[in-house]
Amino acid sequence: MSFLDGFMIRAALAGLGVALAAAPLGCFVVWRRMAFFGDATAHAAILGVALSLTFEAPIFAGVLIAALGMGYIVSTLGARGHAMDTLLGVLSHSAIAFGLVAVSFLSGVRVDLMAYLFGDILAVSRMDLLVIWGGAISVLGLLWWRWSALLTVTLNPDLAAASGIDPKREQLVLTLALALVVAVAIKVVGVLLIGAMLVIPAAAARPLAQTPERMALGGVVIGAASVIGGLQLSFWFDTPTGPTIVCVAASLFVAVTLADALRQAVRH
């Protein structure tokens, strides 16, 4: 019997792969206040699912293309002066609506929308694990390669431009990384919860870290704890696994925030 034959083992490895990729990227999402950008990119994934099923292509490929397309559209329109919050609201809700309508038109294809909306981590296969970890390693490699440039652009775009760093190029790097995370995470937590796994672990790690690198590492630890804790609680109480993982992450965020507030109150 293989180590990977147990569905809980595969689920844990899949969740850890997503946490490993989402947490460092989530730090940039938090620093740049791009939470809605993440949601818009994730919501486009449903349209990608519909395209994949229509053309009988791999789901991963369709989701990746749709997420990249949404990220590029948002970046391009935002650079042209459109109000970003309004633009993201329109595109985010439109993408998921058009995606759901497109899926409904698929004849002869049975689609489990709940699995795509909220994830189906317990049904992860060995091939899914390969895709998830391949995507996670690609995202980590991309962030490792551009970490210094991305930090400089995030902290001071003018200084970055003066140093020869192109902010638009770095935005495209973030867009590519975000699309990869969406594509690998859709099986684990689903379209509606991907944004939460990007933002919550990173936000929870923020009060605990003194450097950007420590915040990214703290986000990975909190994300991993959320996955393991969520899987265990879901097994005990027979609750939906993806949402339970996010609930654990949210609980950790509240605990860290309260502890930080208490620490600051004691200091003063």
Side-chain angles (χ1 to χ4, degrees):
M1 181 175 178
S2 170
F3 174 72
L4 295 178
D5 284 344
F7 71 94
M8 287 294 283
I9 296 294
R10 292 197 300 271
L13 289 174
L16 292 175
V18 170
L20 189 64
L25 180 60
C27 291
F28 286 102
V29 171
V30 170
W31 292 330
R32 290 179 168 222
R33 299 179 182 178
M34 292 170 56
F36 285 124
F37 183 85
D39 284 341
T41 308
H43 289 177
I46 287 293
L47 193 55
V49 170
L51 291 173
S52 297
L53 295 174
T54 300
F55 296 104
E56 298 182 353
I59 297 295
F60 177 83
V63 170
L64 182 61
I65 291 170
L68 276 173
M70 175 61 78
Y72 181 77
I73 290 170
V74 171
S75 298
T76 302
L77 293 180
R80 293 181 179 177
H82 293 270
M84 188 57 77
D85 57 342
T86 303
L87 178 65
L88 288 172
V90 170
L91 291 176
S92 176
H93 295 98
S94 299
I96 196 166
F98 276 106
L100 291 172
V101 170
V103 167
S104 72
F105 279 114
L106 295 174
S107 58
V109 178
R110 185 176 178 182
V111 183
D112 184 2
L113 282 177
M114 292 297 286
Y116 290 115
L117 291 175
F118 296 104
D120 192 9
I121 189 173
L122 297 181
V124 167
S125 65
R126 294 184 181 206
M127 183 55 67
D128 292 328
L129 275 181
L130 188 62
V131 170
I132 289 168
W133 277 91
I137 291 170
S138 299
V139 169
L140 288 177
L142 198 60
L143 292 178
W144 180 273
W145 174 46
R146 304 304 304 168
W147 183 264
S148 179
L150 286 168
L151 270 181
T152 305
V153 171
T154 299
L155 295 173
N156 193 326
D158 294 331
L159 176 62
S163 303
I165 300 171
D166 185 0
K168 291 183 179 179
R169 181 186 61 204
E170 304 311 318
Q171 178 64 37
L172 286 176
V173 169
L174 274 183
T175 300
L176 175 58
L178 192 58
L180 277 169
V181 168
V182 168
V184 301
I186 188 170
K187 184 81 173 182
V188 177
V189 290
V191 167
L192 297 182
L193 303 177
I194 292 172
M197 285 303 290
L198 278 167
V199 173
I200 297 176
R206 196 171 195 172
L208 304 174
Q210 285 75 45
T211 66
E213 291 78 13
R214 287 184 181 180
M215 179 173 164
L217 183 59
V220 170
V221 172
I222 291 172
S226 302
V227 168
I228 300 302
L231 280 170
Q232 192 64 61
L233 290 174
S234 173
F235 179 75
W236 285 342
F237 298 108
D238 194 25
T239 54
T241 310
T244 305
I245 290 172
V246 175
C247 286
V248 172
S251 300
L252 291 174
F253 170 76
V254 171
V256 169
T257 302
L258 290 176
D260 184 59
L262 182 61
R263 180 173 57 86
Q264 292 186 15
V266 169
R267 276 186 178 180
H268 297 295

